[in-house]
Amino acid sequence: DAKARGMLRGLGVASCVEDTGLGPFEGASVRVTPTGKVVVSTGAASQGQGHATVFAQIAADALGVRIEDVSVKSADTGAFPLGLSTIASRIAVTAGSSVEIAARKVRDKAIQTASRMLEAAERDLELVDSEVRVVGAPGMKVSFAAIARALSGSAGVGMPGGIEPDLAATGYFESRELAFAYGSQACEVEVDPQTGHTRIVRYVVAHDCGRLINPLVVDGQIRGGVIHGIGNALYERMRFDETGQPVTTTYGDYPLPGAAEMPDVEIHHIETPSPRNPLGVKGAGEGGTIPAAACVISAIEDALGKGAPFIGEHPVSPERICELMGETTT
């Protein structure tokens, strides 16, 4: 069909291995307030990756509470003093694991306290719907709010024996070994031999970032990364004059891909949990970008045919494709 329309069709494939979870550490605190609400505090700053949703999910799963009852405070030294950097696909591994560690400590503390309040063995207790219950006896229970109030203390009233005040804990995950995410991408392109214009017809991603905490967040990361890589491959170039002064000074000179250039990315998740952190996660921030430019440019090479020269540059503009086609025919 493409040939009948005078178009050149090509297929490209590229793969990547991404080291993630860069050390040395991130930290987080988890606290249950006397109202039963959960507050997560961390020094890990977000730049739009959905950290608040992910951290809230981790805490909610560990504590058996609703995600609506969890709030997240980040990038505020008044709330949490230490935070390193949001780079290198490291936050899910480091800060996410810190939230898990802190939440598990709070869980254990809640069970210890409830054991004394209910006069039941710790092994017989479970956390469900913001309560600690005796397994098999749902009427024997105590709420997180009540436990938090008991540990908040009251003048002249004794504390539950052997338990530190406040239903809260801090955790630090020290990343001593990197996690590794993997991905492969394939795309089909159509090249117009008259104009050199390239259109991406289909784009498929297979990606393994370990355990998926929130698949929709990961999908957004991958799609954003792919379109960034498409921009690298086809559009974005800084130009300079002979004196080294930039002549690319506006977005009119530096085109970025928009909705019209974004293909419908088909994503296939593979979950291979990492053994190097308590969540089994691997970073997902850059996996969509890393192979994308190579994938698109290899498809252009394929479309131009066996006689086409190797394309070792980007972006590959329509003008450059027409030049390459001239080199192919000669």
Side-chain angles (χ1 to χ4, degrees), residues 58 66 74 88 128 255-256 272 289 295:
I58 294 170
R66 300 183 308 163
S74 65
V128 181
L256 294 168
T272 309
T289 300
C295 182

Side-chain angles (χ1 to χ4, degrees), residues 267-287:
I267 301 174
H268 300 269
H269 293 296
I270 301 168
E271 293 189 74
T272 309
S274 172
R276 295 180 171 179
N277 61 76
L279 291 172
V281 298
K282 309 168 186 176
E286 296 157 281

Side-chain angles (χ1 to χ4, degrees), residues 314-327:
H314 66 84
V316 186
S317 65
E319 296 90 342
R320 181 59 180 142
I321 288 177
C322 288
E323 293 175 2
L324 292 167
M325 292 186 64
E327 295 176 23

Side-chain angles (χ1 to χ4, degrees), residues 35-316:
T35 63
K37 302 298 183 182
V38 179
V39 179
V40 176
S41 303
T42 178
S46 183
Q47 303 152 339
Q49 298 95 329
H51 291 165
T53 300
V54 170
F55 295 158
Q57 283 184 254
I58 294 170
D61 284 350
L63 296 173
V65 302
R66 300 183 308 163
I67 192 171
E68 300 96 310
D69 292 332
V70 183
S71 61
V72 178
K73 298 179 179 179
S74 65
D76 180 356
T77 53
F80 195 90
L82 298 178
L84 298 183
S85 55
T86 304
I87 61 169
S89 302
R90 66 186 296 272
I91 293 301
V93 174
T94 55
S97 294
S98 298
V99 174
E100 173 76 3
I101 291 168
R104 289 289 171 182
K105 289 180 179 179
V106 171
R107 178 189 179 93
D108 292 344
K109 195 172 186 179
I111 289 175
Q112 291 171 7
T113 307
S115 173
R116 288 156 176 77
M117 297 174 74
L118 296 170
E119 298 182 347
E122 292 181 20
R123 64 178 178 275
D124 294 331
L125 301 178
E126 61 180 352
L127 276 67
V128 181
D129 296 334
S130 298
E131 297 175 333
V132 182
R133 302 175 182 175
V134 176
V135 177
M140 294 184 63
K141 61 186 180 181
V142 59
S143 69
F144 268 20
I147 295 171
R149 287 195 296 271
L151 294 180
S152 294
S154 180
V157 179
M159 299 289 292
I163 301 175
E164 292 185 355
D166 202 7
L167 189 52
T170 296
Y172 288 94
F173 177 73
E174 186 175 353
S175 180
R176 297 177 181 270
E177 296 180 297
L178 294 170
F180 290 89
Y182 308 88
S184 291
Q185 300 182 8
C187 75
E188 283 185 278
V189 302
E190 279 190 357
V191 175
D192 186 338
Q194 301 300 316
T195 66
H197 174 71
T198 298
R199 181 173 71 91
I200 298 174
V201 178
R202 188 181 179 200
Y203 209 105
V204 181
V205 176
H207 191 260
D208 180 357
C209 62
R211 178 187 172 198
L212 295 175
I213 299 172
N214 188 308
L216 290 178
V217 168
V218 175
D219 283 356
Q221 293 275 279
I222 291 174
R223 286 191 169 88
V226 167
I227 194 64
H228 184 72
I230 290 171
N232 296 161
L234 299 177
Y235 305 107
E236 302 170 36
R237 182 192 296 275
M238 282 295 296
R239 301 178 186 273
F240 302 86
D241 65 19
E242 61 277 2
T243 66
Q245 296 301 310
V247 295
T248 303
T249 56
T250 72
Y251 285 119
D253 308 313
Y254 189 85
L256 294 168
E261 290 75 37
M262 179 67 182
D264 183 12
V265 180
E266 180 183 327
I267 301 174
H268 300 269
H269 293 296
I270 301 168
E271 293 189 74
T272 309
S274 172
R276 295 180 171 179
N277 61 76
L279 291 172
V281 298
K282 309 168 186 176
E286 296 157 281
T289 300
I290 294 169
C295 182
V296 173
I297 293 172
S298 67
I300 293 172
E301 283 184 347
D302 187 49
L304 298 184
K306 294 182 179 180
F310 172 75
I311 303 175
E313 65 198 73
H314 66 84
V316 186

